[in-house]
Amino acid sequence: VNLSAFAISVVDGEKIMHSAAIQKFYAERNAALVWVDKATTQPAHFTDHAKEMIKAITESESQGLNPDNYHSKTLEQWVEKGVPQGREIDSEVLMSDAIIQITRDLSGMRLSPAILEEDNTSWSRGIDEDSVLPIMVGQSYPVVFWEQLVPQDEIYKRLQSELKSLVQDLKDHPEGTNKPVVFAGTLKLGQRHPHILKIRQVLGDDGTSDVYDDALLEKVKIFQKKHGLAADGLIGPRSFDALFQTRTQKLVKILANLERRRWVRRPMPSRYVAVNIPQMELIAVDDNKTVLQMPVIVGRLTRPTMSFVDNIIGIRFNPYWYVPDTIKSQDYLPALRKNPNALEDHAIQFRIKTPEGTKSVASTDIDWSKVTEGDLKNIQMFQGPGDDNALGVIRVLMPNQYDIYLHDTNAPQLFAKDDRALSSGCVRVSEPRRIANFVLGKNDDWSDDKIDTYVGKQKLIEIPAKEEIPVYLFYYTAWLDDQDDLVIANDLYGRDKKLVQLLQKYGKIPFHLENTN
């Protein structure tokens, strides 16, 4: 067979996406066919392995993938009727193209980080296209290999099951409600409201009163705890969103969570720290077991916490806090224009960069009415170590381009709040000492009382970790609660909705979602 015969760009109207990789593969095999058997019967037919893979391709909706992205209709037709005479190479190329694409999709991002506005180094982009076919041709059970590419954890499996049930329900009952229940206030114990009856129905309460009573309160608290909400019984906007999410809203979250979980490079390390931003929770894992779990504070909607992967390299005790540009321009400059002493209670100090060097000044020495946002680049604002420091006394060192890190806080009372999206992007941890011990625990002669020694010196001290620790900042709106029930929670920053809308725009969703709100 002439190798140029594999240089095909379109087969039956289907664009070949990986032509160069396919030509390279068959050149290395001297044009020997892999997926098509024409030696014994006519018409030619796909091998048993190829048929198994085509079946898996047609069922790839179970992963949230779109079978149409992998030439499923044409391949199915050729399985049923046989490969058309004289088109063995066409079918071979089409099959190889499908295999490359689905293998890459199962092992990484289906859209570029630039399109998704995600970090471009943290997440898997999928198996390299030149490597896919050599890997797959060597598999005794290629479909099992595909199954092993995706996350093997319980959450992923439960999301798949939930996807299947929800899609079937939408097919069987398309007339079902798809309109969210909107409520702007907060319902409290003893209040009367028509929505109380709807809440009873959602929570399986057989009461008939429209008054918020003690029996319903207990069920609301249980529900809130499961959904990562403060179990205070107050039914505010976040609780309403969780109680009355529509089937389409739930479907969007399931698709987004399946997608994001496939982005994570595997296997995961045996020791790491992870923050789930929507859950507002941190865990630390050692020897593949969760050894720490605590609430955290994450970025508010206007200054969200970025999702990325980094390495923790040590701990800084008694840190200085240098005010980020966003806070300087958006928060502090307007306040200082009104009152030059506005930051006095925060113990903020000022330095100005001049051609002769940097010099300390008082806030009253600066005419803030004339300071522009450009001028702020030459004005340092910072807090020295102490009780007023916004970073508390412990900062986790994890250098990254976003200047996002984990740190202590001088306002620990905020951890008791339901909505802990309160920071300017960094992650405040509720138990910083335990994090410090986890990070430095492998250091020679480390002990807990060393924290008291370092903090007590009241000056900046950095202790490098003997072993760097991967840290993951995830955006997962689905998790398992204490009873191993799957929780589909609130889309804190609207990232699930945006992700699924983009996947749908580029034809990556197996069905049309008319309303993703």
Side-chain angles (χ1 to χ4, degrees):
V1 176
N2 190 332
L3 285 172
S4 63
F6 290 90
I8 303 170
S9 58
V10 178
V11 175
D12 284 13
E14 300 271 348
K15 181 180 178 181
I16 302 302
M17 298 167 282
H18 305 282
S19 181
I22 291 170
Q23 292 177 62
K24 178 182 177 182
F25 173 73
Y26 286 99
E28 292 170 351
R29 294 182 58 83
N30 294 318
L33 303 186
V34 177
W35 317 119
V36 175
D37 184 354
K38 64 173 184 176
T40 57
T41 62
Q42 291 294 336
H45 61 277
F46 284 113
T47 66
D48 290 342
H49 275 174
K51 289 176 182 177
E52 290 171 4
M53 286 190 281
I54 291 169
K55 183 176 184 294
I57 284 171
T58 63
E59 296 173 351
S60 60
E61 286 187 7
S62 66
Q63 308 277 1
L65 306 183
N66 185 354
D68 289 347
N69 296 158
Y70 319 114
H71 316 305
S72 61
K73 290 183 176 61
T74 303
L75 291 173
E76 277 187 287
Q77 184 180 25
W78 288 352
V79 167
E80 181 181 347
K81 298 180 179 180
V83 175
Q85 187 171 3
R87 303 199 63 190
E88 292 84 3
I89 292 180
D90 283 354
S91 59
E92 188 81 12
V93 169
L94 198 69
M95 183 68 191
S96 291
D97 196 54
I99 289 171
I100 293 174
Q101 190 61 45
I102 194 170
T103 304
R104 285 174 55 77
D105 285 354
L106 288 170
S107 58
M109 305 178 85
R110 291 195 284 162
L111 296 175
S112 74
I115 291 172
L116 296 172
E117 296 182 359
E118 294 282 351
D119 186 83
N120 66 353
T121 60
S122 293
W123 313 115
S124 171
R125 302 294 298 277
I127 296 175
D128 179 73
E129 66 174 354
D130 287 339
S131 302
V132 172
L133 294 176
I135 290 172
M136 294 303 293
V137 78
Q139 298 297 319
S140 299
Y141 303 97
V143 171
V144 173
F145 176 77
W146 278 346
E147 292 170 353
Q148 294 172 341
L149 281 180
V150 301
Q152 301 299 302
D153 58 84
E154 183 64 21
I155 297 178
Y156 192 85
K157 295 172 185 175
R158 298 277 282 277
L159 285 167
Q160 283 186 279
S161 177
E162 193 73 18
L163 175 64
K164 181 179 179 181
S165 298
L166 191 54
V167 169
Q168 191 62 49
D169 182 59
L170 285 165
K171 288 179 180 177
D172 294 343
H173 307 285
E175 73 287 351
T177 179
N178 205 34
K179 293 182 179 180
V181 176
V182 179
F183 186 74
T186 300
L187 294 179
K188 302 176 182 179
L189 184 66
Q191 284 186 315
R192 171 177 275 113
H193 197 279
H195 284 343
I196 293 296
L197 295 174
K198 296 178 181 178
I199 294 170
R200 291 187 190 279
Q201 184 179 9
V202 170
L203 298 181
D205 184 280
D206 56 7
T208 58
S209 171
D210 63 354
V211 176
Y212 189 7
D213 56 28
D214 289 321
L216 183 59
L217 176 71
E218 293 308 310
K219 292 189 176 182
V220 168
K221 286 182 177 179
I222 292 171
F223 177 87
Q224 288 174 323
K225 183 178 179 181
K226 281 189 174 185
H227 285 74
L229 305 167
D232 55 12
L234 298 175
I235 311 176
R238 293 186 74 229
S239 291
F240 263 92
D241 286 346
L243 281 163
F244 296 110
Q245 58 184 326
T246 67
R247 292 181 299 174
T248 299
Q249 287 173 329
K250 193 173 182 181
L251 181 57
V252 164
K253 293 172 186 175
I254 291 170
L255 290 169
N257 279 272
L258 286 169
E259 187 77 16
R260 285 199 177 89
R261 288 183 178 276
R262 289 193 296 267
W263 295 354
V264 182
R265 294 184 176 94
R266 288 175 293 278
M268 293 280 285
S270 62
R271 189 167 188 257
Y272 65 90
V273 172
V275 173
N276 186 14
I277 299 165
Q279 193 176 7
M280 304 176 196
E281 183 175 273
L282 175 147
I283 64 169
V285 173
D286 194 12
D287 195 21
N288 297 309
K289 298 175 183 176
T290 300
V291 296
L292 291 179
Q293 190 170 357
M294 67 185 69
V296 298
I297 291 169
V298 298
R300 54 188 180 269
L301 185 60
T302 55
R303 295 177 193 169
T305 300
M306 185 66 179
S307 180
F308 63 98
V309 183
D310 194 23
N311 278 320
I312 294 172
I313 64 171
I315 297 293
R316 179 179 292 168
F317 296 98
N318 304 311
Y320 281 77
W321 178 53
Y322 288 89
V323 181
D325 289 341
T326 52
I327 297 178
K328 283 198 293 186
S329 63
Q330 296 177 25
D331 298 340
Y332 287 177
L333 181 58
L336 289 164
R337 282 172 174 167
K338 293 179 181 178
N339 176 12
N341 293 311
L343 303 183
E344 188 173 356
D345 291 342
H346 297 284
I348 299 293
Q349 301 176 54
F350 300 85
R351 284 199 290 246
I352 294 180
K353 296 178 183 178
T354 69
E356 292 76 30
T358 301
K359 65 177 183 179
S360 297
V361 297
S363 63
T364 52
D365 292 337
I366 300 172
D367 185 352
W368 295 103
S369 65
K370 296 181 179 178
V371 171
T372 67
E373 291 192 13
D375 295 333
L376 286 177
K377 297 288 184 181
N378 294 317
I379 301 175
Q380 286 184 347
M381 302 181 191
F382 66 96
Q383 286 178 322
D387 294 337
D388 292 326
N389 191 287
L391 306 185
V393 295
I394 295 174
R395 170 183 168 179
V396 176
L397 297 175
M398 42 183 282
N400 61 84
Q401 63 176 312
Y402 307 107
D403 202 23
I404 289 175
Y405 42 85
L406 315 180
H407 65 83
D408 187 9
T409 178
N410 59 359
Q413 70 276 7
L414 297 178
F415 290 105
K417 285 182 170 288
D418 165 16
D419 185 354
R420 296 191 300 279
L422 304 167
S423 81
S424 292
C426 285
V427 178
R428 306 176 197 170
V429 297
S430 56
E431 300 179 76
R433 290 182 65 106
R434 296 182 72 194
I435 291 295
N437 275 324
F438 181 79
V439 171
L440 302 176
K442 301 290 186 181
N443 286 22
D444 297 337
D445 300 322
W446 178 257
S447 60
D448 179 45
D449 57 8
K450 288 191 175 182
I451 295 179
D452 294 322
T453 300
Y454 293 138
V455 170
K457 292 181 182 296
Q458 297 186 337
K459 66 178 182 179
L460 188 149
I461 299 173
E462 287 188 2
I463 306 296
K466 182 177 181 180
E467 299 177 4
E468 293 189 4
I469 303 172
V471 55
Y472 297 81
L473 278 73
F474 292 129
Y475 191 90
Y476 294 151
T477 55
W479 57 81
L480 298 179
D481 66 12
D482 295 339
Q483 287 75 47
D484 284 336
D485 291 330
L486 181 66
V487 174
I488 309 294
N490 292 342
D491 185 5
L492 178 63
Y493 300 145
R495 289 180 182 169
D496 285 356
K497 175 182 173 182
K498 179 180 178 181
L499 171 59
V500 172
Q501 285 176 336
L502 285 167
L503 289 171
Q504 180 164 275
K505 175 182 177 181
Y506 288 93
K508 305 292 186 179
I509 299 294
F511 29 75
H512 180 66
L513 299 174
E514 292 185 1
N515 182 7
T516 56
N517 292 317

